[in-house]
Amino acid sequence: MRTAAVLGIAALLAGCSAWQDDSGSAAEATILVFAAASLKSVFADIGTRFEQDNPGTTVIFNFAGSSDLVTQLEQGAPADVFASADTTNMTKAVDAGVIAGEPVNFAANTLTIVTPPGNPAGITSFADLAEPGTQVVICAPQVPCGSATEKIEKATGVTLAPVSEESAVTDVLGKVTSGQADAGLVYVTDASGAGDKAAAIPFPESAAAVNVYPIATVAGTAGRAAADRFVSLVTGPYGREALASAGFAAP
């Protein structure tokens, strides 16, 4: 049975028009990109550039935790491109047969600690997050940022007792910026994008868990040519520059 999310995506695409290429054959005027939540800001910019470069084509994004996106793809959700925040979830998608071709690594990201402005709890290190009474929010283990958190816990011997485990890194950030937590673990790019709504506290142990982001065209897409062009834009000079400006490292 398809989930409500899958049905919602299908409904969103229902009624999308088609355009005629030079040969007179129909091609999709809309491409749907499934992308990790941490890519929301930079992919919105890349999507705008793609639409400018491809008049008549509209890019629709579905941003969520990478593990949730893989589940949706496995359940038959329509999509043209998938960009994951780690190689593990992309491998799951490949093994499930929902990916066409070879995924391409296009960015890397690491975790940082974020607190509300002013850092009222006085957090200064990763170990501080395990202090009794500290309200820390992290990503769920199946989500790339959660998997990275587990790696850091194992590398440091510090075990966290989170008050909440979220399904997307943006949800962790939201809990911190709204004052519902003393601290959270998010990607450096999310912390940068939060501006003065959060304070970022880098910690050296984050180097133990660097997440590499792959992107690929989804199998069975009716807009294969457009999907491939979007992947090329992300992995090409424009995409690399946009990603670097947003704080992503090279893969």
Side-chain angles (χ1 to χ4, degrees):
M1 178 180 292
R2 292 189 175 187
T3 64
V6 172
L7 293 174
I9 295 166
L12 181 66
L13 289 179
C16 288
S17 60
W19 51 273
Q20 298 292 320
D21 63 17
D22 292 339
S23 65
S25 61
E28 291 297 318
T30 301
I31 65 168
L32 179 57
V33 178
F34 277 32
S38 53
L39 293 166
K40 186 172 184 178
S41 180
V42 66
F43 263 34
D45 291 339
I46 292 175
T48 297
R49 175 59 181 265
F50 185 84
E51 290 175 348
Q52 292 172 349
D53 292 346
N54 298 270
T57 300
T58 300
V59 183
I60 296 176
F61 291 104
N62 176 29
F63 293 108
S66 298
S67 58
D68 288 342
L69 295 175
V70 172
T71 297
Q72 292 173 25
L73 291 171
E74 291 176 336
Q75 293 177 340
D80 303 293
V81 176
F82 173 46
S84 174
D86 68 351
T87 55
T88 299
N89 279 289
M90 179 60 79
T91 298
K92 290 180 181 178
V94 171
D95 291 344
V98 297
I99 296 300
E102 189 74 18
V104 180
N105 295 333
F106 66 94
N109 219 342
T110 54
L111 295 180
T112 191
I113 299 167
V114 287
T115 71
N119 188 11
I123 305 295
T124 62
S125 68
F126 183 77
D128 285 347
L129 300 179
E131 288 295 319
T134 302
Q135 294 186 316
V136 60
V137 180
I138 63 176
C139 290
Q142 70 271 19
V143 184
C145 53
S147 176
T149 298
E150 285 191 329
K151 290 178 183 177
I152 296 171
E153 288 180 291
K154 291 178 181 178
T156 61
V158 175
T159 301
L160 304 181
V163 295
S164 178
E165 294 183 345
E166 304 298 325
S167 61
V169 67
T170 48
D171 295 333
V172 174
L173 183 62
K175 286 289 182 69
V176 174
T177 58
S178 64
Q180 298 180 61
D182 296 323
L185 286 169
V186 303
Y187 294 119
V188 295
T189 52
D190 295 285
S192 176
D196 59 6
K197 294 180 180 179
I201 303 168
F203 59 102
E205 298 91 340
S206 64
V210 178
N211 277 10
V212 174
Y213 288 53
I215 187 170
T217 297
V218 175
T221 171
R224 177 65 183 266
D228 287 347
R229 288 197 299 274
F230 185 87
V231 171
S232 295
L233 181 63
V234 171
T235 58
Y238 181 85
R240 290 196 298 269
E241 182 177 349
L243 289 157
S245 296
F248 289 90

